[in-house]
Amino acid sequence: MAWELEIDELVDEWTPEPLVAPPTDFEAADNEKRPVIVGPTGPKTKLSTGRVVTNLASYNLYNFVADENLKEKAIQTLRTYGVGPCGPPGFYGTQDVHMRAEADIATFLGTPACIIYAQAFSTISSVIPAFSKRGDFIVADEAINYAARKGIQISRSSVRWYKHNDMDDLERVLKNAVKEQAGKPLTRRFIVTEGLFESVGDEVDLARVIDLKFRYKFRLILDETFSFGVLGQTGRGVTEEHHVSATDVDMIIGSLAGPLCAGGGFCAGSDVIVEHQRITSPAYTFSAALPAMLATAASEALLTLQTNTDLVTQLRTNIRAMRAQLDPRSEWVRCTSSPSNPVMLLVLKSEVVIAKGLVDENEQEKVLQDIVDETLANGVLITRLKRPPITTPVNRREIPEWRAQPALKVCITIGLTRKEIEKAGVIIRHAITKVVSRRK
């Protein structure tokens, strides 16, 4: 048949577009010299070159990687349940260890219920569209992380952005949103923000956000991916840090793959909030359940945090030790992270950017990578903030995409002594001075 031949010819001629853009010269060079870790990502890490370096580039904050009790519990679970559940939670993927982990997280946070997901990234990106649909209203901080942005994009909701961590601007946007919706059919309305912002490192003013949430009748979706297990006297997150009841937050999203060194994510809230996700959240209904050994590891890590409250204190001590070596003592960089944040983001000072001709962010990235390389050459492994790709704005009003400033990322751990932290801080500071000062 002639039309079949035409189809075959069209198929032969068609060249699919690449899924991703080709790497730039800088990205290609970065990939070639990227260090490869062999074995566990502990505080002292062996590279493929055979060198052992101080690891300040992973989220092993409490050194749970080296906790023999956690390892033993995980191995026992592996021998009992196998590796994966091989099915979605709603079918035959849910096991007793998953139910226990959900109960443990809910009890730890002080919420009525909790649901766990198999992957941290897909948690917030599934929770948002599970509740907010086309025609609903979202007000979001312009600096929220990439996963939350994807969730907003998938929801197809009407979106309004407010200036990063600016509570006055948030109130202005909420007021305008209420006026805009006046006289129209009632819709669901949400505020989306983070506890500790991944791309800036600073902390949300939660008490003010909750006050505005109640005043203007919005629901609050709080992403605690980087604050759960870190903030607060016992690591319960930003609600404990700000002395706010967790029940005042409609949805608390967090990661089990960061400080807990397990895997997956969770959403805590009321019974209605949790049960709704079991039948409507894409990443829950269409993905295999979290491996049983990771659910057990999460439960045991939470138990360790509750029984050994000194862990959080030790982490804060090491954070202060590192900050003392970097932020006040370096004339080139400043730390944008909260004083309680163990992930320190170091950006070039504005006067340095101007004086050294680094207004172009690509040039800043190159300088920061040189610092990373120089630091590694002296036995300390750090990394750069990997900024999300520039995407089509999810707001139909075409508000410009917010971009984080290029930054170094230094992850603090209690697996190192205070002296080791201070020594690493000196090495990082000297590397910064050496690289930046030689640039004309």
Side-chain angles (χ1 to χ4, degrees):
M1 297 289 289
W3 60 271
E4 290 178 333
L5 292 174
E6 184 181 359
I7 290 175
D8 289 339
E9 290 176 359
L10 290 172
V11 170
D12 291 338
E13 294 173 358
W14 179 67
T15 302
E17 295 182 6
L19 293 176
V20 296
T24 63
D25 293 340
F26 171 66
E27 290 170 339
D30 186 26
N31 288 334
E32 285 182 6
K33 59 186 178 183
R34 181 168 293 150
V36 177
I37 293 175
V38 178
T41 55
K44 296 290 185 179
T45 297
K46 184 178 181 180
L47 303 181
S48 57
T49 59
R51 291 183 63 201
V52 175
V53 298
T54 299
N55 182 7
L56 295 177
S58 68
Y59 293 132
N60 182 33
L61 309 180
Y62 295 111
N63 200 25
F64 284 149
V65 166
D67 191 308
E68 293 301 326
N69 178 58
L70 284 182
K71 289 182 184 178
E72 183 59 33
K73 294 286 186 180
I75 291 171
Q76 290 176 7
T77 304
L78 176 64
R79 289 172 176 164
T80 303
Y81 296 89
V83 177
C86 301
F91 291 88
Y92 47 84
T94 298
Q95 298 164 315
D96 57 348
V97 290
H98 297 112
M99 299 171 69
R100 177 194 164 197
E102 290 177 346
D104 289 343
I105 297 167
T107 302
F108 184 69
L109 286 173
T111 59
C114 176
I115 180 173
I116 59 173
Y117 289 75
Q119 188 189 35
F121 183 94
S122 62
T123 303
I124 182 70
S125 59
S126 291
V127 170
I128 292 174
F131 291 93
S132 188
K133 311 291 184 182
R134 188 190 297 273
D136 293 331
F137 215 92
I138 292 176
V139 173
D141 189 298
E142 64 181 359
I144 56 173
N145 59 55
Y146 187 60
R149 285 176 179 271
K150 299 309 291 184
I152 292 175
Q153 186 177 29
I154 294 168
S155 74
R156 299 185 177 182
S157 302
S158 299
V159 189
R160 301 293 179 268
W161 304 92
Y162 66 93
K163 295 177 183 177
H164 172 54
N165 241 352
D166 187 331
M167 295 299 103
D168 292 334
D169 193 53
L170 171 58
E171 184 168 15
R172 177 190 64 81
V173 175
L174 293 176
K175 281 182 180 178
N176 291 340
V178 172
K179 289 179 181 178
E180 188 176 336
Q181 293 294 103
K184 296 181 180 179
L186 187 64
T187 60
R188 288 162 291 202
R189 302 184 296 190
F190 301 90
I191 299 172
V192 179
T193 188
E194 291 186 75
L196 282 175
F197 287 86
E198 177 187 14
S199 57
V200 186
D202 55 353
E203 195 174 315
V204 68
D205 186 351
L206 185 60
R208 184 79 188 279
V209 172
I210 288 178
D211 175 62
L212 293 173
K213 163 210 154 178
F214 283 122
R215 189 185 309 171
Y216 293 97
K217 297 180 173 59
F218 274 68
R219 293 183 175 95
L220 175 58
I221 300 176
L222 178 64
D223 189 351
E224 288 219 60
T225 297
F226 297 93
S227 54
F228 176 72
V230 172
L231 293 185
Q233 187 175 357
T234 58
R236 284 174 168 81
V238 70
T239 53
E240 182 181 39
E241 180 82 358
H242 289 257
H243 308 289
V244 170
S245 173
T247 55
D248 287 339
V249 181
D250 298 278
M251 283 158 263
I252 297 177
I253 289 90
S255 171
L256 304 176
L260 301 189
C261 289
F266 69 86
C267 178
S270 67
D271 291 310
V272 173
I273 289 290
V274 166
E275 294 307 315
H276 178 76
Q277 294 175 64
R278 296 196 192 279
I279 57 174
T280 62
S281 183
Y284 187 85
T285 56
F286 299 115
S287 299
L290 182 71
M293 60 181 174
L294 295 181
T296 297
S299 290
E300 292 299 323
L302 281 180
L303 180 62
T304 303
L305 272 180
Q306 292 177 81
T307 54
N308 189 356
T309 55
D310 288 341
L311 293 178
V312 178
T313 303
Q314 292 175 40
L315 184 60
R316 297 281 173 86
T317 299
N318 281 1
I319 293 171
R320 288 193 294 270
M322 179 61 79
R323 289 183 75 103
Q325 294 300 322
L326 295 176
D327 192 309
R329 302 183 71 171
S330 174
E331 59 182 299
W332 309 107
V333 298
R334 63 182 178 87
C335 181
T336 61
S337 299
S338 162
S340 300
N341 190 349
V343 180
M344 294 180 59
L345 299 182
L346 303 170
V347 301
L348 295 170
K349 294 180 178 180
S350 56
E351 57 269 27
V352 174
V353 169
I354 296 171
K356 296 295 182 177
L358 296 171
V359 177
D360 185 346
E361 291 186 347
N362 292 326
E363 290 300 313
Q364 291 184 45
E365 293 280 17
K366 292 177 183 178
V367 168
L368 295 179
Q369 185 58 48
D370 288 343
I371 294 171
V372 171
D373 295 340
E374 177 66 25
T375 304
L376 180 59
N378 287 279
V380 178
L381 178 63
I382 61 173
T383 186
R384 291 182 293 113
L385 173 68
K386 301 304 188 291
R387 300 186 298 163
I390 297 176
T391 57
T392 302
V394 294
N395 188 349
R396 294 181 182 178
R397 292 188 177 183
E398 299 297 319
I399 292 180
E401 185 82 2
W402 185 88
R403 291 282 283 169
Q405 184 177 347
L408 295 171
K409 181 187 282 189
V410 181
C411 303
I412 313 303
T413 175
I414 66 169
L416 299 170
T417 65
R418 177 167 181 166
K419 287 187 177 180
E420 289 174 321
I421 289 287
E422 290 174 342
K423 181 180 178 181
V426 171
I427 291 173
I428 296 170
R429 188 176 78 247
H430 288 174
I432 293 170
T433 301
K434 180 178 179 180
V435 172
V436 180
S437 60
R438 73 188 179 197
R439 183 179 176 91
K440 302 301 182 182

